[in-house]
Amino acid sequence: TEGDEVALEILREGALQMAQTAHSVVKSLDFEDGFPVALAGSVVCRNSLYRELILENLERQSPRPGEVTLVTDPVHGCLMIARKRLLEH
C-alpha cells in the first residue's frame, strides 16, 4: 500500500543518514578497511531491515567496515571491541 511505501522510504532515508553519520566519524578518526562496528539500540537491534540497510550503506563507503557486533548495551559493545583489539596486539 501507499503507507507501506512511505514507511519503507523513511527507513531507507534513516539508514542512509545513519551510515553517513558513521562514515563522517570513521573518516575523522582515520580508520582503515576492516574497522569493527558495534550496532546498539533497540531499533537497530530489533529491526533487521533497518540494520541491513545501514550496513549496505556502510559497505558502499570507503573505508569499509569489518566485523559487526550487535549489542543491547553500548558500553558492553565498546568493551568487547577494545578487548579484542588488545588481544590481537
Side-chain angles (χ1 to χ4, degrees), residues 1-86:
T1 68
E2 186 177 332
D4 291 341
E5 288 301 317
V6 171
L8 187 55
E9 186 53 36
I10 290 170
L11 268 182
R12 285 186 182 126
E13 183 60 30
L16 176 61
Q17 293 295 322
M18 182 73 74
Q20 288 175 337
T21 300
H23 185 252
S24 294
V25 173
V26 166
K27 293 294 273 187
S28 70
L29 295 175
D30 280 337
F31 284 175
E32 297 177 2
D33 278 343
F35 63 89
V37 175
L39 293 177
S42 61
V43 174
V44 174
C45 289
R46 293 182 185 162
N47 188 320
S48 61
L49 175 59
Y50 185 58
R51 181 173 58 249
E52 290 304 315
L53 289 169
I54 292 170
L55 293 173
E56 285 173 15
N57 281 295
L58 282 175
E59 286 288 329
R60 292 185 189 117
Q61 307 288 335
S62 179
R64 298 178 74 179
E67 181 180 346
V68 177
T69 303
L70 291 180
V71 292
T72 56
D73 179 0
V75 173
H76 180 73
C78 292
L79 291 173
M80 285 178 16
I81 290 172
R83 181 174 183 264
K84 182 176 180 182
R85 290 283 179 130
L86 285 172

